[in-house]
Short mmCIF file of all heavy atoms in Angstrom, two decimals:
data_model
loop_
_atom_site.label_atom_id
_atom_site.label_comp_id
_atom_site.label_asym_id
_atom_site.label_seq_id
_atom_site.Cartn_x
_atom_site.Cartn_y
_atom_site.Cartn_z
N GLU A 343 -92.60 -4.51 -40.13
CA GLU A 343 -91.61 -3.91 -39.26
C GLU A 343 -90.58 -4.90 -38.76
O GLU A 343 -89.62 -4.52 -38.09
CB GLU A 343 -92.30 -3.25 -38.07
CG GLU A 343 -93.15 -2.06 -38.47
CD GLU A 343 -93.74 -1.36 -37.26
OE1 GLU A 343 -93.48 -1.82 -36.13
OE2 GLU A 343 -94.44 -0.36 -37.45
N ALA A 344 -90.76 -6.17 -39.06
CA ALA A 344 -89.76 -7.15 -38.65
C ALA A 344 -88.45 -7.00 -39.41
O ALA A 344 -87.48 -7.68 -39.11
CB ALA A 344 -90.30 -8.57 -38.85
N ARG A 345 -88.43 -6.09 -40.42
CA ARG A 345 -87.19 -5.92 -41.18
C ARG A 345 -86.05 -5.50 -40.27
O ARG A 345 -84.89 -5.80 -40.51
CB ARG A 345 -87.41 -4.91 -42.30
CG ARG A 345 -86.20 -4.67 -43.16
CD ARG A 345 -86.56 -3.88 -44.39
NE ARG A 345 -87.46 -4.62 -45.27
CZ ARG A 345 -87.05 -5.52 -46.17
NH1 ARG A 345 -85.76 -5.81 -46.27
NH2 ARG A 345 -87.91 -6.15 -46.92
N GLY A 346 -86.35 -4.78 -39.19
CA GLY A 346 -85.30 -4.37 -38.28
C GLY A 346 -85.10 -5.31 -37.11
O GLY A 346 -84.28 -5.05 -36.25
N THR A 347 -85.86 -6.40 -37.07
CA THR A 347 -85.75 -7.34 -35.96
C THR A 347 -84.55 -8.26 -36.16
O THR A 347 -84.29 -8.73 -37.27
CB THR A 347 -87.03 -8.19 -35.85
OG1 THR A 347 -88.14 -7.31 -35.68
CG2 THR A 347 -86.94 -9.15 -34.68
N VAL A 348 -83.85 -8.53 -35.07
CA VAL A 348 -82.73 -9.46 -35.10
C VAL A 348 -83.08 -10.64 -34.20
O VAL A 348 -83.29 -10.47 -32.99
CB VAL A 348 -81.42 -8.79 -34.61
CG1 VAL A 348 -80.29 -9.80 -34.59
CG2 VAL A 348 -81.07 -7.61 -35.51
N LEU A 349 -83.19 -11.80 -34.79
CA LEU A 349 -83.50 -13.00 -34.02
C LEU A 349 -82.23 -13.51 -33.34
O LEU A 349 -81.16 -13.56 -33.95
CB LEU A 349 -84.08 -14.09 -34.92
CG LEU A 349 -85.41 -13.80 -35.61
CD1 LEU A 349 -85.88 -15.03 -36.37
CD2 LEU A 349 -86.47 -13.37 -34.60
N CYS A 350 -82.38 -13.89 -32.09
CA CYS A 350 -81.26 -14.45 -31.32
C CYS A 350 -81.65 -15.85 -30.88
O CYS A 350 -82.58 -16.03 -30.10
CB CYS A 350 -80.95 -13.56 -30.11
SG CYS A 350 -79.60 -14.20 -29.09
N PHE A 351 -80.94 -16.84 -31.39
CA PHE A 351 -81.18 -18.23 -31.02
C PHE A 351 -80.38 -18.52 -29.76
O PHE A 351 -79.14 -18.49 -29.79
CB PHE A 351 -80.77 -19.17 -32.14
CG PHE A 351 -81.54 -18.96 -33.43
CD1 PHE A 351 -80.97 -19.26 -34.66
CD2 PHE A 351 -82.81 -18.44 -33.42
CE1 PHE A 351 -81.66 -19.07 -35.84
CE2 PHE A 351 -83.53 -18.23 -34.59
CZ PHE A 351 -82.94 -18.54 -35.80
N VAL A 352 -81.06 -18.80 -28.67
CA VAL A 352 -80.41 -19.03 -27.38
C VAL A 352 -80.65 -20.46 -26.95
O VAL A 352 -81.81 -20.93 -26.94
CB VAL A 352 -80.95 -18.06 -26.30
CG1 VAL A 352 -80.21 -18.27 -24.99
CG2 VAL A 352 -80.80 -16.63 -26.76
N GLY A 353 -79.60 -21.17 -26.58
CA GLY A 353 -79.76 -22.53 -26.10
C GLY A 353 -78.42 -23.22 -25.92
O GLY A 353 -77.37 -22.68 -26.27
N PRO A 354 -78.44 -24.41 -25.37
CA PRO A 354 -77.20 -25.17 -25.14
C PRO A 354 -76.50 -25.51 -26.45
O PRO A 354 -77.11 -25.48 -27.53
CB PRO A 354 -77.69 -26.43 -24.41
CG PRO A 354 -79.06 -26.10 -23.91
CD PRO A 354 -79.64 -25.13 -24.87
N PRO A 355 -75.22 -25.84 -26.39
CA PRO A 355 -74.50 -26.23 -27.61
C PRO A 355 -75.10 -27.51 -28.22
O PRO A 355 -75.58 -28.39 -27.51
CB PRO A 355 -73.07 -26.49 -27.10
CG PRO A 355 -72.97 -25.76 -25.80
CD PRO A 355 -74.33 -25.79 -25.20
N GLY A 356 -75.04 -27.56 -29.54
CA GLY A 356 -75.47 -28.77 -30.23
C GLY A 356 -76.96 -28.92 -30.40
O GLY A 356 -77.44 -30.01 -30.74
N THR A 357 -77.74 -27.85 -30.20
CA THR A 357 -79.19 -27.96 -30.32
C THR A 357 -79.71 -27.44 -31.66
O THR A 357 -80.93 -27.32 -31.84
CB THR A 357 -79.88 -27.20 -29.17
OG1 THR A 357 -79.36 -25.87 -29.09
CG2 THR A 357 -79.64 -27.90 -27.85
N GLY A 358 -78.82 -27.11 -32.61
CA GLY A 358 -79.25 -26.78 -33.96
C GLY A 358 -79.39 -25.30 -34.25
O GLY A 358 -80.07 -24.93 -35.22
N LYS A 359 -78.74 -24.45 -33.49
CA LYS A 359 -78.89 -23.00 -33.72
C LYS A 359 -78.23 -22.57 -35.03
O LYS A 359 -78.84 -21.84 -35.82
CB LYS A 359 -78.27 -22.24 -32.54
CG LYS A 359 -78.89 -22.57 -31.18
CD LYS A 359 -78.33 -21.72 -30.07
CE LYS A 359 -76.87 -22.03 -29.78
NZ LYS A 359 -76.65 -23.41 -29.32
N THR A 360 -77.01 -23.03 -35.27
CA THR A 360 -76.31 -22.63 -36.50
C THR A 360 -76.98 -23.21 -37.73
O THR A 360 -77.15 -22.53 -38.75
CB THR A 360 -74.84 -23.06 -36.42
OG1 THR A 360 -74.22 -22.48 -35.27
CG2 THR A 360 -74.09 -22.62 -37.67
N SER A 361 -77.37 -24.47 -37.65
CA SER A 361 -78.03 -25.08 -38.80
C SER A 361 -79.39 -24.44 -39.07
O SER A 361 -79.84 -24.37 -40.22
CB SER A 361 -78.19 -26.59 -38.58
OG SER A 361 -78.89 -26.86 -37.38
N MET A 362 -80.07 -23.95 -38.04
CA MET A 362 -81.33 -23.23 -38.25
C MET A 362 -81.08 -21.94 -39.03
O MET A 362 -81.87 -21.57 -39.90
CB MET A 362 -81.99 -22.93 -36.91
CG MET A 362 -83.31 -22.20 -37.01
SD MET A 362 -84.59 -23.18 -37.86
CE MET A 362 -84.95 -24.41 -36.61
N ALA A 363 -79.97 -21.26 -38.72
CA ALA A 363 -79.64 -20.05 -39.47
C ALA A 363 -79.37 -20.38 -40.95
O ALA A 363 -79.78 -19.62 -41.84
CB ALA A 363 -78.42 -19.38 -38.84
#
Side-chain angles (χ1 to χ4, degrees):
E343 294 185 359
R345 181 169 295 276
T347 302
V348 177
L349 297 184
C350 179
F351 299 152
V352 183
T357 51
K359 301 185 292 297
T360 302
S361 56
M362 180 64 72

